[in-house]
Amino acid sequence: MVVSKLESLPSELVVEISDYLDACDLYRAFYGLNHRINTILDHQCHRLNVNFIHISKNQFDFCCTRILPRIATRITSLTLPGRTIFIHLLSFKLVEFTKSDVEILVPHLHQLVYLRNLSIGGYTRLMPFNINTNELFQEHVVLPLSLRSLAFPYEISDRWIQTSNSTLSIEQLHVTSIYIDTLISFMQRFPRLNRLTTVLSEPGESDLIAENIPGSTIMFQSLRYLNLNIVSDVSFSQFASFLRHVPQLHTLIIEALNPDVLFLDAHQWEANLSANLSSFHFDLTITSLVGFDHLSLLKPFKSDYWTSRGWFVQCRTRDRGRFFRLSTSQSPIINLLYWPDDEILLDSKSIIRYPHVTHVELWWNLSKSTQSICPHVRSIQFYGANNGEIETIHPNVRDLLNTSSFEHIIIDNNVPISPTRLAHLLAKSSDRVHILTCSTHWLYSLFKTKDNEWICLLLTMRIRKLILNNTNLVLSYADLIAFARTFINLQEISIKLVSVEEMAFLLNILRQLTMASIELPDTELRNITNLTQWILENTVFRDFTIEKRAGGLDSSKILLWIGSHNRTNLYGTEHQLYSNHPIIKEKILENYL
């Protein structure tokens, strides 16, 4: 008789089996067997069931902290015992929902007396769209007084604002739409608000009293961060009037399609921006102007007012000026786009020397010349090829890669290059390249096949600083083993993790670290009253500086500057550090029992 093992079963059969098992039991039993099983569970099992009836508290805690964050978007059935209300919840996030789901939830919110973060939706940004009046919430809403962060995907009605009892406590707000003519009145209901993300829409009929001259003395001293998508009917004068009410604003981010033309005027911005503003980003797209003088438009943005603040503005044009984008960048920038629309930076018309450019974006076809010389380029962002072939690299591009100042490779999140292409680029690049920015999704594509082991070895030798872009996908505990092996020589890291145990594992394994930026859910940090003491008790660090900062709506960033390690630490040898990992410990026990 032939006995089949799970590892040898076809992928389709493993997925079929998953339909009959509880998702938490499924992951506890099989996740970590091998990389193939991990990949099937993470990427092919889309109908997961979770049953919390007859489950112990320890099992419940383990499932909520270790498993649910990985599978939340794929759960199709959730069974709870009776009329369960988790009154001690600190953070609640609802995804894949309907308005009726929210209506069921709203009457129970006031019972969550410890709730600090409420996020209804899995979005990271907002776009203007027509809102069905049936989607408005006119109900009487009572929110917990403890609430500090609220993300809400529907337009908040005037009555919703007026009847809510907890507006005084909210510090971070992410909502779909606010009318520009009632913005001041809206803000008065949130005196502690320091972060606001919303669509700023055209004036409309409202029960709120529009703020005119009599309210001009009101100042919102708490607001520090403002992220807006501005619709075309909002005038610059209306927006500038609001800016005068937020003197302590530090960060302003604006996106707009066909905005009022004054939004494109550098002098208007100079006259209205707060002296305290340190970070200013905008992305303005114009599709309706013909014969616009782009050079005259761009010139004022090159004055000392802008460059001295590190605000570099670029203008990209297409279709003979009928379409162009005006946007800020982190440094003087060249966009070299070969496909699909031949969009180029306005100033890039022939082979030109750019002595001040430090960042370049390279799209698609590296066999073509960039028609530029950038002797001081520090970073290059690569976009994926439209096929799997590794094409010949043009000598001009090779010169860019071998520039002595080049040190940082950035892999685009939306159109990433393959691991194989990265390896070939590293082989052609300057020896100074040691910084990599990529997404967690890209790392999964690297780890999922043994054919990439030589690429992992190359990264081990070359990369000393890794920046993982914040995405909804985070590395699993099992994947941290492959991660630590590949990036064992890291000196700096920026990463998002699920638990403090994972943070301790990485900090103890990556013994060359001098700096770490780790984002964790607030729920993981609520029981740690003294972070410094926790680091001393759970890591090999003895000489370090630590700082805690706000992350997302329900997360925080732990920043660590590391001076020295205690080589004779409580964990013992390097081998023991690895063996403390639960996946490794479990496999060792299986093999020796």
Side-chain angles (χ1 to χ4, degrees):
M1 182 178 70
V2 177
V3 179
S4 296
K5 294 184 178 180
L6 183 72
E7 297 98 312
S8 63
L9 295 179
S11 301
E12 295 78 8
L13 189 54
V14 176
V15 173
E16 184 71 20
I17 292 173
S18 73
D19 291 340
Y20 295 92
L21 297 177
D22 176 79
C24 291
D25 291 339
L26 180 71
Y27 268 73
R28 283 169 58 89
F30 303 121
Y31 201 85
L33 286 179
N34 56 48
H35 201 82
R36 175 176 173 268
I37 295 298
N38 292 353
T39 301
I40 294 173
L41 293 180
D42 281 338
H43 300 290
Q44 297 185 40
C45 297
H46 300 296
R47 302 183 306 276
L48 298 177
N49 307 308
V50 175
N51 189 333
F52 283 143
I53 296 178
H54 306 305
I55 186 174
S56 70
K57 183 180 184 301
N58 288 339
Q59 291 174 320
F60 177 77
D61 290 342
F62 182 88
C63 189
C64 289
T65 58
R66 300 292 176 77
I67 299 176
L68 290 188
R70 299 191 61 82
I71 66 174
T73 59
R74 295 178 285 133
I75 295 175
T76 58
S77 173
L78 175 62
T79 305
L80 299 173
R83 298 173 56 85
T84 301
I85 299 295
F86 300 102
I87 60 173
H88 293 285
L89 278 181
L90 295 178
S91 181
F92 187 95
K93 186 172 184 178
L94 185 65
V95 297
E96 299 295 331
F97 58 89
T98 64
K99 182 173 183 284
S100 61
D101 296 327
V102 181
E103 290 173 331
I104 294 172
L105 170 67
V106 164
H108 300 285
L109 289 177
H110 70 281
Q111 300 179 53
L112 306 177
V113 295
Y114 298 101
L115 191 68
R116 294 181 62 86
N117 307 303
L118 173 61
S119 178
I120 302 178
Y123 48 82
T124 55
R125 60 195 291 268
L126 292 173
M127 293 294 289
F129 58 90
N130 294 326
I131 298 175
N132 189 329
T133 55
N134 292 328
E135 295 295 305
L136 293 177
F137 276 81
Q138 300 291 345
E139 301 91 342
H140 178 73
V141 178
V142 179
L143 296 173
L145 292 174
S146 58
L147 198 64
R148 296 295 180 267
S149 299
L150 172 64
F152 208 74
Y154 298 103
E155 179 178 348
I156 293 180
S157 68
D158 304 331
R159 187 179 175 209
W160 196 96
I161 300 167
Q162 293 169 335
T163 59
S164 175
N165 69 322
S166 61
T167 54
L168 293 178
S169 62
I170 292 177
E171 299 172 357
Q172 302 182 46
L173 189 62
H174 192 151
V175 294
T176 291
S177 182
I178 303 176
Y179 291 140
I180 181 65
D181 59 344
T182 60
L183 186 56
I184 301 297
S185 296
F186 178 87
M187 288 292 299
Q188 286 181 269
R189 286 160 171 78
F190 301 91
R192 296 184 184 178
L193 194 66
N194 58 55
R195 294 173 65 93
L196 174 63
T197 299
T198 188
V199 173
L200 203 56
S201 57
E202 60 186 303
E205 295 182 2
S206 174
D207 295 333
L208 291 177
I209 301 173
E211 200 65 49
N212 296 314
I213 300 300
S216 60
T217 59
I218 300 174
M219 294 293 169
F220 303 106
Q221 302 288 347
S222 298
L223 193 65
R224 299 289 193 275
Y225 174 95
L226 190 58
N227 189 343
L228 301 172
N229 191 308
I230 301 179
V231 303
S232 57
D233 291 334
V234 173
S235 71
F236 184 85
S237 60
Q238 289 174 305
F239 181 63
S241 177
F242 171 72
L243 286 180
R244 290 191 282 271
H245 295 270
V246 286
Q248 301 303 321
L249 192 66
H250 288 181
T251 300
L252 176 60
I253 303 171
I254 294 175
E255 185 175 357
L257 175 64
N258 292 323
D260 177 5
V261 68
L262 291 182
F263 279 92
L264 311 176
D265 190 329
H267 301 301
Q268 291 290 334
W269 285 115
E270 293 171 18
N272 289 283
L273 291 178
S274 166
N276 292 316
L277 193 68
S278 59
S279 178
F280 181 34
H281 304 279
F282 62 77
D283 193 338
L284 310 174
T285 301
I286 308 297
T287 63
S288 57
L289 294 178
V290 179
F292 204 81
D293 189 347
H294 307 98
L295 289 175
S296 298
L297 175 73
L298 188 60
K299 186 175 180 181
F301 285 103
K302 296 182 177 180
S303 68
D304 288 342
Y305 175 89
W306 296 85
T307 57
S308 64
R309 289 167 170 78
W311 300 344
F312 301 102
V313 180
Q314 61 180 352
C315 180
R316 289 179 282 180
T317 183
R318 189 171 79 200
D319 296 338
R320 298 182 181 179
R322 286 189 291 270
F323 175 100
F324 76 91
R325 293 176 63 187
L326 190 69
S327 59
T328 52
S329 62
Q330 294 181 348
S331 61
I333 188 171
I334 297 177
N335 285 281
L336 304 165
L337 313 181
Y338 305 115
W339 189 91
D341 51 19
D342 293 325
E343 182 183 1
I344 61 172
L345 187 70
L346 186 64
D347 294 334
S348 302
K349 297 179 179 178
S350 59
I351 297 180
I352 301 175
R353 180 182 175 88
Y354 295 93
H356 301 297
V357 167
T358 59
H359 176 80
V360 171
E361 296 180 10
L362 290 178
W363 282 66
W364 311 108
N365 193 347
L366 301 182
S367 64
K368 292 184 179 180
S369 171
T370 67
Q371 297 183 314
S372 62
I373 299 173
C374 305
H376 299 112
V377 63
R378 291 200 297 268
S379 60
I380 300 179
Q381 183 164 342
F382 293 95
Y383 294 75
N386 54 359
N387 57 61
E389 300 295 328
I390 302 300
E391 80 275 49
T392 303
I393 297 179
H394 192 279
N396 175 253
V397 175
R398 187 171 299 194
D399 288 342
L400 272 178
L401 297 176
N402 280 281
T403 303
S404 60
S405 57
F406 177 42
E407 61 181 8
H408 186 183
I409 288 179
I410 302 171
I411 299 174
D412 183 73
N413 287 351
N414 298 317
V415 194
I417 60 175
S418 67
T420 305
R421 171 170 283 208
L422 171 67
H424 283 275
L425 289 171
L426 272 174
K428 306 290 185 184
S429 299
S430 161
D431 290 338
R432 286 176 52 85
V433 174
H434 66 283
I435 306 172
L436 175 65
T437 294
C438 64
S439 69
T440 309
H441 287 278
W442 188 88
L443 279 186
Y444 273 117
S445 71
L446 174 69
F447 295 150
K448 72 179 181 181
T449 172
K450 288 186 176 181
D451 291 342
N452 289 336
E453 287 188 356
W454 70 276
I455 302 175
C456 293
L457 179 59
L458 182 61
L459 294 176
T460 302
M461 294 186 293
R462 296 289 299 270
I463 301 303
R464 296 296 178 267
K465 179 177 180 179
L466 177 67
I467 303 169
L468 279 182
N469 293 331
N470 288 337
T471 63
N472 291 328
L473 180 66
V474 295
L475 290 170
S476 71
Y477 217 168
D479 289 315
L480 286 179
I481 300 172
F483 177 88
R485 182 183 62 182
T486 301
F487 297 104
I488 193 66
N489 293 321
L490 282 184
Q491 296 172 355
E492 298 184 32
I493 187 173
S494 178
I495 191 172
K496 184 176 182 179
L497 297 174
V498 171
S499 68
V500 291
E501 288 83 5
E502 293 176 355
M503 178 172 70
F505 174 75
L506 271 190
L507 294 180
N508 285 319
I509 291 297
L510 304 180
R511 303 296 292 274
Q512 306 301 320
L513 281 181
T514 59
M515 189 273 174
S517 173
I518 300 175
E519 184 172 351
L520 287 169
D522 287 330
T523 52
E524 278 293 299
L525 299 170
R526 69 179 184 271
N527 294 325
I528 301 177
T529 56
N530 188 327
L531 273 173
T532 300
Q533 187 62 31
W534 189 92
I535 294 294
L536 285 171
E537 293 174 354
N538 292 274
T539 74
V540 296
F541 302 156
R542 291 300 171 262
D543 178 17
F544 60 90
T545 300
I546 189 169
E547 181 180 338
K548 179 181 177 183
R549 295 180 183 174
L553 283 172
D554 53 2
S555 65
S556 297
K557 284 187 177 180
I558 306 300
L559 302 181
L560 274 167
W561 291 269
I562 303 151
S564 63
H565 306 101
N566 184 356
R567 296 296 178 180
T568 57
N569 62 83
L570 57 94
Y571 289 100
T573 66
E574 195 86 15
H575 171 76
Q576 290 171 308
L577 286 172
Y578 273 101
S579 63
N580 278 329
H581 189 289
I583 302 295
I584 297 178
K585 183 185 296 184
E586 179 182 344
K587 298 304 176 186
I588 292 174
L589 290 175
E590 286 178 359
N591 291 331
Y592 286 94
L593 290 179

